[in-house]
Amino acid sequence: MLGAVIAGGQSRRFGSDKAVSTLGGLRMIDHVIAGLAAQVHQLVICGRDEPGYRCIADRPFPDMGPLGGLAAALHHARVEGFSGVLTSACDTPLVPPDLARRLGCDGPAIVTGQPLFGYWPASLSEQLDNFLVDPANRAVRHWADVTFARTVRYSNEIPNINTVAALDLLRVASQECPRLSFMC
């Protein structure tokens, strides 16, 4: 399984590059990298240059939104012989430690409320290319519907950090639970 951090966004709502904002002394993207890397055979960063990591450009071109990163990851996975891709956005620092196991390898699957936590078979690469031809097709939830992605529910809400206020709330929560893990 290939792991892919979807990191090509412009952080408009956040106001600055949220991937490099810190939480518990680490950048948000570092939390995501650590959480995914523990569950996959290889990891790529999609849509940005991140020194020390294999980085791939969004496909078919930049600014496609998260599906551009997913398209790049699916093609990379297919070429490199991976059966599928486990994805996370760079702004979801609390990666569930059982994400790969829960999403499995039985076809497309997403986490309820966080569709960028997903598992996508590499065989969907061409189908996603065709889907992206229509400029109206840029929503991950729409892609999940088209592929009949199974949904997996977690009992704890998984925070997605789109604003500085959301990051501040997570920082407060992490002080209450110093072990900053999904299970706190």
Side-chain angles (χ1 to χ4, degrees):
M1 185 180 298
L2 176 71
V5 179
I6 308 298
Q10 297 180 0
S11 303
R12 287 184 186 110
R13 288 177 281 178
F14 197 82
S16 63
D17 186 359
K18 60 186 165 183
V20 300
S21 294
T22 60
L23 175 66
L26 292 174
R27 301 174 314 153
M28 275 204 293
I29 196 169
D30 293 328
H31 285 286
V32 176
I33 289 168
L36 276 185
Q39 301 180 58
V40 298
H41 297 96
Q42 186 183 99
L43 184 84
V44 294
I45 310 296
C46 302
R48 75 181 291 130
D49 291 324
E50 192 62 36
Y53 295 96
R54 179 100 187 244
C55 300
I56 57 177
D58 287 353
R59 182 186 169 106
F61 48 83
D63 298 323
M64 294 289 296
L67 289 179
L70 177 58
L74 287 175
H75 280 275
H76 180 80
R78 198 182 75 213
V79 167
E80 295 293 320
F82 291 97
S83 60
V85 179
L86 185 68
T87 59
S88 176
C90 69
D91 61 357
T92 50
L94 303 183
V95 177
D98 62 348
L99 186 65
R101 183 185 62 76
R102 296 268 316 263
L103 294 180
C105 299
D106 296 330
I110 59 170
V111 170
T112 302
Q114 292 292 351
L116 277 178
F117 278 133
Y119 173 78
W120 307 97
S123 60
L124 292 174
S125 62
E126 296 301 324
Q127 185 179 346
L128 182 52
D129 282 349
N130 293 332
F131 180 79
L132 290 173
V133 168
D134 182 349
N137 291 338
R138 297 297 185 263
V140 177
R141 283 184 177 92
H142 186 202
W143 170 245
D145 291 343
V146 166
T147 60
F148 303 102
R150 179 174 51 87
T151 58
V152 173
R153 182 173 304 280
Y154 275 89
S155 58
N156 297 339
E157 184 177 334
I158 304 171
N160 178 335
I161 309 303
N162 284 315
T163 64
V164 173
L167 179 57
D168 289 342
L169 285 173
L170 187 55
R171 284 178 176 142
V172 169
S174 68
Q175 289 173 352
E176 294 171 4
C177 181
R179 208 180 47 136
L180 188 61
S181 87
F182 177 72
M183 300 313 293
C184 290

